[in-house]
Amino acid sequence: NINLELLGCPFIDRGTQIFVDTGTGTDLDNVYTVNNITHTVRSGEYLTSLSLALTAQGAISSTRRKLSKKLKIAAKSIKKNT
């Protein structure tokens, strides 16, 4: 699970799916589902706190891995033909 706090966003509801990109290039970069949401409104401040659960475990890295393999094959093919 991931806990995330961001600038207030009234459009996110429980059950919303969000892609989180941590920039790690690992399975941590993935699609998560909002389990719990809290909006906090104070003078001059509006925050949204989310509790997220992993939705598509491994799906993103699997797609990334497949794409990487295809790009390597294409690059080898281009080298052979030049």
Side-chain angles (χ1 to χ4, degrees):
N1 289 347
I2 292 179
N3 293 320
L4 183 67
E5 187 172 87
L6 54 131
L7 185 62
C9 185
F11 306 110
I12 300 174
D13 293 317
R14 191 170 187 275
T16 299
Q17 292 186 342
I18 298 173
F19 179 76
V20 177
D21 185 357
T22 61
T24 62
T26 65
D27 288 349
L28 190 57
D29 303 333
N30 221 316
V31 178
Y32 294 82
T33 300
V34 176
N35 278 344
N36 192 18
I37 184 167
T38 304
H39 298 285
T40 304
V41 179
R42 295 185 192 116
S43 179
E45 182 179 55
Y46 176 32
L47 298 173
T48 298
S49 300
L50 307 173
S51 173
L52 307 172
L54 191 57
T55 301
Q57 187 169 6
I60 302 302
S61 65
S62 175
T63 301
R64 183 181 292 132
R65 207 173 297 118
K66 288 177 186 176
L67 180 59
S68 178
K69 286 180 184 179
K70 296 285 184 186
L71 289 172
K72 286 178 186 176
I73 291 168
K76 286 180 184 178
S77 177
I78 290 170
K79 277 187 175 182
K80 285 181 185 179
N81 295 325
T82 57

